[in-house]
Amino acid sequence: MADAILAPSRRGFLTAALLAGGGLAVEFSLPLGRAQAATVGTSAVGAFVSIAPNGAVTIVNKNPEIGQGIKTAFAMMIAEELDCDWAQVTAVQQADANPAIYGPQGTGASQSTPNNWLPLRRAGAAARDMLVRAAAARWGVDPSSVTTAKGRLSHAASGRSLGYGEVASAAAALTPPDLKTVKLKTPAQFSIIGKPTKGVDTPRVVKGEPMYGIDTRLPGMLYAVYEVAPANGGKLVSADLADAKAAPGVKHVVQLKGVGPIDALVDGVAILATNWWLANQARSKLKLEWDLSAQKGHSWDAYVAKAKTLLAEKPQLDLIRSGDVEGKLASAAKRVAAVYEIPFLAHATLEPQNCTALYKDGALEVWAPSQIPAGGKAQISKFLEIPEDKITFHVTKIGGGFGRRLRNDYTVQAAAIAKAVPGVPVKLLWSREDDIRRDFYRPSGWHGFEAGIDANGKMIAFKDHFVTFGKDGKSAMFANMHADHFPYGIMPDAAVVQSTLEIGVPIGALRAPVSNGLCYAFQGFLDEVAIAAGTDLPRLLLDVFAEDKLVGEPDQPEKAQTAFSTKRARAVIAKAAAMSNFTSKPIAPGRAMGFGFYFCHNGHFAEVVDASVKDGQVSVHKVWVAGDVGRQIVNPMGAEAQVRGSVLDGLSQALEGQKITFVDGQIEQSNFHDFRLGRNDRNPAVEVAFVASDSHPTGLGEPALPPVIPALANAIAAATGKRVRTMPIDLSALA
């Protein structure tokens, strides 16, 4: 389970300064507890808010904006407790990578909102406190008699009022309060949080203004491509660069030696030209010899064959075990068994990987769309031997990440190329083929399920033989299963056993890491169990979750929000079923509903898909989503957009033939013709409802994705009588 929001273990600090020309600039820093600090890799979180003499408010967004809406949501949190009018927030600026000032600046694991919910609000409240005290001093009254609203300070007894800008300079001279002591608003007092708010960058995005990494332009800039081995781990044996150097527009051809892990710098040749097209065309003139022996035998078909062998053999490891699983299976009135397979997936971000870099006089300046910019900065420093204090890392808006940009290989490559041509701005841009074939893929996996049902139709035993990637029985990162994954802690007699095979292709996090594969397999199989038990999946789950439990509950009560709650699960299951008028019976010939539920990234989500199968084609008509991410939705407009995007992303994975295959480590897919994305004309209506619970708000970038895939597969099974056990959906191969 992910760490919960922690109360500060030490005093939070806030400093104030006078802006040039007058006004208040507030910097705040809040140390976190050790568990959270370990998760994000540093021990402080910070941000800035400034108020100009005219009352205009500028807020600095500390985390990368990747489409999840935090640039707007963070500003809303600060502005709410500052008690200004939202219209006064005239600018929300993106911070550069600087952990010393801002603390953790990563975007991933749906942690931005939960990790910053209290710190950012406290900072806004602290700034408000300073303004109140400044106004009180001017009027000679007690601060407790001064109220705030919409960016103005009022003293009811004397009828006096001031705008924030009028006392901002005076407030800057005051001693900031302890962040732990500032008074926060109650939800009933919110005037910004909880109100649908358009994204602060939306007008610029609609106009097509340059904001993304790919838009970066510098005077005298050259465009670069970087040719690497066609298989992971390939070594450059020899290189004839003469023809590429002579190609039109080419200014430099640079051979680079790999250093560090594969997400740092691998062997390759950079071509720099006056425009990207010319640089990319010159690739065909390179004469390179590669040693690809390390990937020999690492092929998709070989993995499938080995996985089938492992499923038939004794498992290598007991991952989860409770009760007498084997005994309960042996005595069951019915036994259900099935094997599920999930594929490798690429991220396929719409904005390909890119980075612009300038190395001059021993210092490096970088512009990059990175989910973890501090990580990129650290890698560049470590592997290219440039001191971190000599690196300036500008964070651009990100055109899709989904976990791909948690890796900073493209930033290290750009920095290495720039270092090879000092004084020349270099823009490295990957082609779509580069992006598909050099990914860190969502790992595949296989599940050999078995469940036992008693004479009363109750599931009494559950077992999964999980075949994944790793070594010595231990799974690789992102190819794992959490030890508190269902059914652990819920069913008395349950087991997950595991076997591993070694992997040769790079793997990494993809939106809702781990969960996006596990949910499809588990919820698909449980739908089969429900049918065998004479019920449907919602009722089966409600029965299994009938007793109130917190699975994976941490020791501290304040962390309970990170636990899987059967009570919260029941609420969203019931809500989704009611919203859709769910039925497990076909609603028309070839048309039916399917159900899916999952808990991940602190979110409980239940989803229903209405789909039909006709003439060999699947059509999704509507999706209903019920989710619980705590007591407060910061920005309903952004939240619903995140849920809808998650649903469409999941449907795209299932319906569009998304699958990565390879032979001897060389990826067979190359572009959107053979790794297709969803299309607008196939997108269904998505109805979203949030179920409030007594918990801090948690993230929304990921937990709504996993349930839609099994819900779709279960709908197809109900409509056709044929079960989908392998993704992506191939109707010709249905069981």
Side-chain angles (χ1 to χ4, degrees):
M1 295 289 177
D3 287 318
I5 304 166
L6 304 180
S9 57
R10 304 186 301 280
R11 176 186 171 92
F13 298 96
L14 182 148
T15 59
L18 187 66
L19 290 173
L24 171 67
V26 178
E27 175 187 349
F28 45 94
S29 176
L30 181 67
L32 303 179
R34 286 178 296 174
Q36 191 175 21
T39 300
V40 296
T42 188
S43 61
V45 62
F48 289 96
V49 57
S50 62
I51 304 168
N54 66 358
V57 176
T58 297
I59 295 172
V60 175
N61 175 52
K62 72 185 196 68
N63 282 14
E65 170 59 53
I66 200 168
Q68 81 283 46
I70 58 165
K71 192 173 182 181
T72 303
F74 278 13
M76 291 173 69
M77 295 178 200
I78 294 171
E80 180 66 75
E81 297 295 349
L82 181 61
D83 210 15
C84 68
D85 191 286
W86 182 244
Q88 289 178 268
V89 181
T90 58
V92 180
Q93 299 173 349
Q94 180 63 53
D96 289 341
N98 195 333
I101 295 176
Y102 300 107
Q105 291 179 272
T107 291
S110 294
Q111 289 299 297
S112 292
T113 295
N115 284 349
N116 291 283
W117 170 246
L118 290 179
L120 295 185
R121 290 175 59 212
R122 284 172 175 157
R128 173 169 44 100
D129 172 87
M130 296 169 71
L131 293 164
V132 165
R133 285 188 283 134
R138 177 177 293 191
W139 292 329
V141 300
D142 191 291
S144 64
S145 65
V146 178
T147 59
T148 60
K150 294 186 179 297
R152 294 196 64 81
L153 301 123
S154 300
H155 184 246
S158 64
R160 289 175 288 185
S161 70
L162 291 167
Y164 281 0
E166 296 177 76
V167 295
S169 295
L174 299 177
T175 301
D178 184 338
L179 290 179
K180 291 188 296 183
T181 67
V182 295
K183 185 177 181 180
L184 299 179
K185 292 183 179 182
T186 66
Q189 296 172 309
F190 289 163
S191 62
I192 296 174
I193 290 175
K195 301 296 188 292
T197 305
K198 70 179 182 181
V200 295
D201 286 337
T202 298
R204 295 182 63 194
V205 172
V206 171
K207 293 176 183 177
E209 293 183 13
M211 301 176 62
Y212 297 87
I214 201 171
D215 297 322
T216 305
R217 300 286 189 275
L218 297 176
M221 185 173 74
L222 294 180
Y223 296 77
V225 298
Y226 191 54
E227 184 72 358
V228 304
N232 173 44
K235 300 296 182 182
L236 185 55
V237 176
S238 65
D240 182 347
L241 312 179
D243 290 348
K245 289 180 177 180
V250 172
K251 298 299 182 181
H252 304 277
V253 179
V254 181
Q255 182 176 336
L256 297 174
K257 180 69 176 175
V259 58
I262 59 172
D263 60 351
L265 183 68
V266 296
D267 285 4
V269 175
I271 301 174
L272 289 77
T274 53
N275 66 54
W276 184 84
W277 177 258
L278 292 175
N280 199 46
Q281 289 297 299
R283 284 196 208 207
S284 62
K285 299 182 181 297
L286 290 170
K287 298 174 183 177
L288 308 177
E289 180 184 351
W290 300 97
D291 176 4
L292 305 177
S293 58
Q295 293 305 305
K296 192 69 175 177
H298 285 283
S299 302
W300 169 249
D301 289 344
Y303 285 175
V304 171
K306 179 61 175 176
K308 290 180 179 179
T309 299
L310 289 172
L311 283 170
E313 295 176 347
K314 182 180 179 181
Q316 299 167 357
L317 174 73
D318 272 12
L319 187 65
I320 301 169
R321 183 172 290 276
S322 62
D324 181 15
V325 179
E326 307 300 342
K328 287 295 180 67
L329 285 172
S331 64
K334 287 184 180 179
R335 295 175 70 166
V336 184
V339 173
Y340 278 68
E341 174 187 287
I342 61 174
F344 286 91
L345 289 179
H347 295 82
T349 60
L350 285 182
E351 179 190 19
Q353 314 316 311
N354 66 88
C355 178
T356 301
L358 171 61
Y359 182 78
K360 186 177 181 180
D361 300 329
L364 179 74
E365 196 166 5
V366 170
W367 294 258
S370 171
Q371 289 183 243
I372 305 185
K377 191 174 182 178
Q379 278 190 291
I380 291 169
S381 176
K382 178 178 180 180
F383 296 113
L384 301 184
E385 299 181 345
I386 303 172
E388 280 204 51
D389 62 3
K390 296 291 186 180
I391 302 172
T392 302
F393 199 116
H394 305 291
V395 182
T396 67
K397 195 173 179 70
I398 302 173
F402 315 116
R404 174 58 181 92
R405 287 181 162 102
L406 294 171
R407 308 282 188 153
N408 281 285
D409 48 330
Y410 53 97
T411 68
V412 181
Q413 290 173 10
I417 298 167
K419 190 178 180 184
V421 289
V424 179
V426 174
K427 180 177 183 176
L428 172 67
L429 174 62
W430 287 16
S431 69
R432 181 60 58 193
E433 289 78 11
D434 294 335
D435 190 53
I436 296 291
R437 290 175 169 170
R438 301 180 190 175
D439 206 346
F440 293 84
Y441 306 99
R442 194 283 301 274
S444 179
W446 294 263
H447 297 266
F449 289 118
E450 191 169 7
I453 304 168
D454 68 14
N456 297 318
K458 183 179 179 65
M459 183 169 62
I460 57 172
F462 186 96
K463 183 178 180 181
D464 175 25
H465 186 174
F466 179 35
V467 175
T468 186
F469 296 94
K471 195 172 183 180
D472 300 327
K474 296 184 178 180
S475 55
M477 190 173 184
F478 305 120
N480 61 304
M481 187 183 299
H482 300 297
D484 49 14
H485 187 279
F486 174 79
Y488 177 80
I490 300 294
M491 291 189 62
D493 302 282
V496 177
V497 295
Q498 181 173 285
S499 298
T500 58
L501 56 156
E502 291 193 27
I503 193 167
V505 298
I507 58 176
L510 185 140
R511 193 174 192 178
V514 181
S515 303
N516 54 22
L518 294 180
C519 179
Y520 152 66
F522 273 78
Q523 291 288 298
F525 177 67
L526 287 173
D527 191 58
E528 295 192 58
V529 174
I531 293 170
T535 185
D536 58 35
L537 183 54
R539 284 185 286 180
L540 175 75
L541 293 173
L542 289 172
D543 178 63
V544 173
F545 300 153
E547 182 181 348
D548 285 355
K549 290 184 179 180
L550 289 175
V551 180
E553 180 182 6
D555 296 334
Q556 296 92 335
E558 67 269 19
K559 292 186 181 180
Q561 65 191 35
T562 67
F564 165 57
S565 163
T566 55
K567 180 180 180 180
R568 295 171 72 181
R570 294 196 305 270
V572 297
I573 290 169
K575 181 66 174 180
M579 289 168 64
S580 60
N581 293 315
F582 177 79
T583 176
S584 59
K585 298 178 180 179
I587 54 180
R591 181 171 176 175
M593 290 181 170
F595 189 90
F597 164 82
Y598 210 65
F599 167 76
C600 72
H601 297 80
N602 302 335
H604 298 71
F605 274 82
E607 302 178 18
V608 175
V609 169
D610 172 6
S612 61
V613 180
K614 183 178 181 181
D615 299 329
Q617 296 293 320
V618 178
S619 297
V620 179
H621 306 287
K622 188 169 182 178
V623 180
W624 293 266
V625 182
D628 177 354
V629 287
R631 69 173 71 94
Q632 182 66 58
I633 302 298
V634 177
N635 181 5
M637 183 181 293
E640 289 193 18
Q642 279 298 294
V643 171
R644 289 191 174 93
S646 296
V647 166
L648 299 180
D649 200 358
L651 293 177
S652 180
Q653 292 176 14
L655 288 174
E656 301 299 336
Q658 290 189 6
K659 182 177 182 178
I660 291 294
T661 57
F662 40 90
V663 175
D664 292 334
Q666 298 189 47
I667 307 302
E668 296 184 300
Q669 290 70 34
S670 64
N671 210 311
F672 291 153
H673 70 288
D674 53 9
F675 193 88
R676 300 190 303 274
L677 302 185
R679 303 184 332 204
N680 282 337
D681 61 355
R682 290 170 65 94
N683 289 343
V686 181
E687 183 178 335
V688 182
F690 292 108
V691 179
S693 62
D694 189 21
S695 173
H696 283 310
T698 54
L700 262 172
E702 294 162 292
L705 187 153
V708 74
I709 301 176
L712 171 60
N714 295 340
I716 292 172
T720 66
K722 297 180 179 180
R723 179 61 57 175
V724 177
R725 298 195 182 108
T726 300
M727 284 288 156
I729 293 169
D730 179 1
L731 293 179
S732 66
L734 293 186

